[in-house]
Amino acid sequence: LSLRDPTCPSGKAFIFLEPTGHNSIVIVQGTNIEGWTPVNLFTPQLEDSIRKAGAVLLQREIPDFVNLAVAKFASSAGVPVLLDVGGKDSPLDPELAPYITICWPNETELMNISGGLPTGTDDEIAAAVAVLREQGV
């Protein structure tokens, strides 16, 4: 629906399950991260698809500027914006936060997007969520 460099390789993810039940993920991003430019992001077909959508689901394995542009457009069209916050171990883009309708981080993701706040107890989780709410999420 958007125009990207067709020579970019596809992305891959490898998930390793440890005996403790924890997992480790290795991501080779490929086209998820490469080939995007502000010039080729929107097409009439993409804009029409967003306007007709019941919701838009974004993920953090693509560049922040892509998520921001799509979130702004969807929000202006009255379309809810959902964000899967995995895939990047850093705080949310403060420009993106106000456009997010729903996000659902696990404890590790919450720690990452709240700037490294601990999330080991219910009180720590509440404090990290409060940070996100202050950002507009």
Side-chain angles (χ1 to χ4, degrees):
L1 294 178
S2 71
L3 304 173
R4 290 183 289 156
D5 182 350
T7 64
C8 289
S10 179
K12 297 177 179 86
F14 303 93
I15 304 171
F16 302 95
L17 185 60
E18 299 173 12
T20 62
H22 292 93
N23 67 36
S24 240
I25 304 172
V26 175
I27 298 172
V28 180
Q29 293 180 319
T31 57
N32 284 353
I33 204 74
E34 297 176 20
W36 297 96
T37 68
V39 173
N40 68 6
L41 182 58
F42 283 103
T43 64
Q45 183 183 6
L46 176 61
E47 291 176 357
D48 189 50
S49 293
I50 292 172
R51 281 189 202 97
K52 292 177 181 175
V56 170
L57 174 62
L58 304 176
Q59 50 91 8
R60 297 181 75 206
E61 294 171 2
I62 61 174
D64 286 340
F65 80 88
V66 174
N67 279 337
L68 179 59
V70 172
K72 282 181 175 181
F73 187 86
S75 183
S76 72
V79 176
V81 177
L82 298 92
L83 178 65
D84 176 351
V85 298
K88 196 172 188 181
D89 297 340
S90 61
L92 286 180
D93 177 347
E95 287 186 71
L96 177 62
Y99 298 99
I100 303 305
T101 308
I102 299 172
C103 71
W104 55 94
N106 63 32
E107 289 177 7
T108 301
E109 293 165 345
L110 179 59
M111 179 183 67
N112 291 334
I113 66 174
S114 67
L117 292 176
T119 56
T121 68
D122 288 347
D123 289 341
E124 290 172 342
I125 289 170
V129 168
V131 166
L132 296 181
R133 291 191 185 262
E134 288 171 10
Q135 295 174 359
V137 178

